[in-house]
Amino acid sequence: MINATEVRNGFKRRMPGAGEPRLFRAPGRVNLIGEHTDYNEGFVMPAAIEFSTIAAVSARTDSKVHVYSKTLDQAFEFDLDDPAPKPVDGWSDYVAGTAYSLRDGGAKLRGANLLIDSDVPLGSGLSSSAAIEVSAAYALLAIAGVAMEPIQIALACQRAENQFVGVRSGIMDQFASCFGALGHALMLDCRSLGHQELPLPPNVSLVICNTMVKHELAGGEYNQRRADCEEGAKTLGIRALRDITVEEFADRGKVLPERIFRRCRHVVTENARVEEAAQALRSHDCAVFGELMNESHASLDQDYEVTCPELNVMVELARQVSGVYGARMTGGGFGGCTINLVQTDAVERFHQMVAKGYQERTGLTPEIYVTAASQGATEVFPT
Ligand code: ADP
Ligand code: MG
């Protein structure tokens, strides 16, 4: 986990004369179950992870924000009073976009010196983007003395990513980064934004395996899936696929063309799986939870068709290791990561067997991250 004292010291070296910083940590996240349900107004179940971003901040007397990413060793400067800010198509858009989104939501911000450091792998599907947005938001609000509800912060960060950075994404990432709870998964209703904290057993680890591939078709296929779901909901006469049960769908879904039927069946059954998975956690039943993860993967593979050979190899290898409850792809698909629920005392063995097997079968060296469900955004203090 990224060290607050080192970040503080880094800030003082980089920005001498900028005073003593305050530090705000925001985590990345992983989605345990509930894939491609968010834009169907359904349920997702992310957990905040131990990989996180820290924003160190001190106030300035002007209206400028001087931001330095220690992760990338790059600096950028922008003006909070800029009446018509333009994105520059770089990492700084995540920070500037967040500041402008807060400002446009009515927060009276003040100039700041900001240092960002992170141990969330960038661009790997663990939401380093939400972590930088949320940590910067907390830092900028705190230094300006502005109080804001976490849900408003999450929404402002999502707007920054949608509108300023230009990435069409749901609320899950920013929500998990703000609301993460130590040792808990979050079940989020993407329609109402209501959520529940669900306990994960203490002796299990979340193990994330990066396939190290990202197939190019991801963007176009994503839009196609959204369109298929919209068409299905329209034909069924419902607002969103969240509004039909598995039983109703088995009957009424018959009118749908074959491909649309399968796409919709994934979403409808996936929503049901999230609710069952929540029940499994309430009764501390990892075996059932893991089985639901496996079913989720099969549905994403066969009905939704968003897996790829590398993801399938990774889950297949994982399931051969004893002490693994379940394995599935996580994120949009076509590459990226898998999430595995693993008994903590089996993690070592898992690491060795899966890394070796994946290398043999694909010629690629996977990255494997071991983590636990962690706390959401908060101020941290150097020791
Ligand atoms: P993910 O959110 O899965 O990590 P994204 O593509 O959504 O992937 O976001 C990654 C981008 O976010 C990076 O390419 C970079 O522009 C920005 N970013 C995230 N963390 C940092 C950081 N610590 N310093 C600078 N830029 C960052
Ligand atoms: Mg992201």
Side-chain angles (χ1 to χ4, degrees), residues 45 120 138-139 155 245 342-343 368:
M45 196 187 287
V120 186
Y138 271 74
L155 287 165
T245 65
V342 184
Q343 278 173 14
I368 298 183

Side-chain angles (χ1 to χ4, degrees), residues 53 69 71-72 90-91 94 116-118 121-130 132 161:
T53 299
S69 166
T71 323
L72 300 179
W91 67 273
Y94 291 88
I116 305 285
D117 200 3
S118 184
L122 267 57
S124 294
L126 301 184
S127 209
S128 70
S129 60
I132 190 174
E161 189 152 336

Side-chain angles (χ1 to χ4, degrees), residues 107-166:
K108 289 199 168 36
L109 298 181
R110 61 185 293 191
N113 304 300
L114 202 56
L115 178 141
I116 305 285
D117 200 3
S118 184
D119 64 2
V120 186
L122 267 57
S124 294
L126 301 184
S127 209
S128 70
S129 60
I132 190 174
E133 291 153 10
V134 172
S135 63
Y138 271 74
L140 292 170
L141 289 167
I143 211 70
V146 178
M148 194 181 275
E149 292 294 331
I151 188 65
Q152 297 305 330
I153 299 177
L155 287 165
C157 291
Q158 187 203 5
R159 280 197 307 277
E161 189 152 336
N162 290 173
Q163 294 167 16
F164 202 76
V165 179

Side-chain angles (χ1 to χ4, degrees), residues 20-293:
E20 191 65 36
R22 288 175 70 184
L23 308 179
F24 297 85
R25 180 201 297 277
R29 64 93 191 95
V30 65
N31 193 22
L32 303 184
I33 193 163
E35 216 65 74
H36 289 279
T37 46
D38 56 347
Y39 50 84
N40 292 294
E41 303 188 14
F43 302 105
V44 294
M45 196 187 287
I49 56 178
E50 289 164 328
F51 298 91
S52 64
T53 299
I54 292 184
V57 66
S58 73
R60 295 178 59 85
T61 51
D62 58 14
S63 59
K64 300 263 166 54
V65 176
H66 285 203
V67 51
Y68 171 70
S69 166
K70 191 159 181 284
T71 323
L72 300 179
D73 188 23
Q74 286 179 31
F76 189 78
E77 209 182 294
F78 60 94
D79 195 326
L80 292 167
D81 290 340
D82 189 338
K86 295 258 178 315
V88 297
D89 288 334
W91 67 273
S92 60
D93 289 343
Y94 291 88
V95 179
T98 296
Y100 293 125
S101 175
L102 292 168
R103 178 194 75 175
D104 296 344
K108 289 199 168 36
L109 298 181
R110 61 185 293 191
N113 304 300
L114 202 56
L115 178 141
I116 305 285
D117 200 3
S118 184
D119 64 2
V120 186
L122 267 57
S124 294
L126 301 184
S127 209
S128 70
S129 60
I132 190 174
E133 291 153 10
V134 172
S135 63
Y138 271 74
L140 292 170
L141 289 167
I143 211 70
V146 178
M148 194 181 275
E149 292 294 331
I151 188 65
Q152 297 305 330
I153 299 177
L155 287 165
C157 291
Q158 187 203 5
R159 280 197 307 277
E161 189 152 336
N162 290 173
Q163 294 167 16
F164 202 76
V165 179
V167 176
R168 192 177 176 188
S169 55
I171 186 65
M172 169 167 69
D173 301 358
Q174 294 82 5
F175 189 92
S177 189
C178 287
F179 286 88
L182 189 66
H184 290 72
L186 309 172
M187 174 163 154
L188 171 64
D189 178 334
C190 295
R191 174 176 282 169
S192 70
L193 298 187
H195 81 286
Q196 288 176 48
E197 294 178 2
L198 299 157
L200 287 162
N203 52 346
V204 301
S205 295
L206 306 178
V207 183
I208 298 156
C209 301
N210 192 339
T211 60
M212 309 305 277
V213 297
K214 189 81 220 170
H215 295 295
E216 275 314 314
L217 35 72
E221 293 287 334
Y222 176 82
N223 291 337
Q224 184 60 53
R225 294 300 177 283
R226 288 188 72 139
D228 288 353
C229 291
E230 278 164 27
E231 183 184 331
K234 199 167 160 218
T235 308
L236 294 167
I238 52 179
R239 170 172 150 182
L241 291 175
R242 128 75 170 283
D243 295 310
I244 189 164
T245 65
V246 174
E247 292 74 28
E248 284 166 349
F249 181 77
D251 181 34
R252 292 175 54 201
K254 288 179 201 136
V255 299
L256 299 171
E258 196 267 346
R259 189 190 78 225
I260 306 293
F261 174 80
R262 282 188 294 115
R263 303 297 188 245
C264 294
R265 181 168 62 186
H266 165 70
V267 175
V268 173
T269 57
E270 185 77 353
N271 273 324
R273 278 188 289 272
V274 179
E275 296 197 80
E276 286 174 51
Q279 197 47 49
L281 290 183
R282 284 186 206 104
S283 43
H284 310 284
D285 194 336
C286 283
V288 167
F289 191 92
E291 192 47 46
L292 290 162
M293 292 173 78

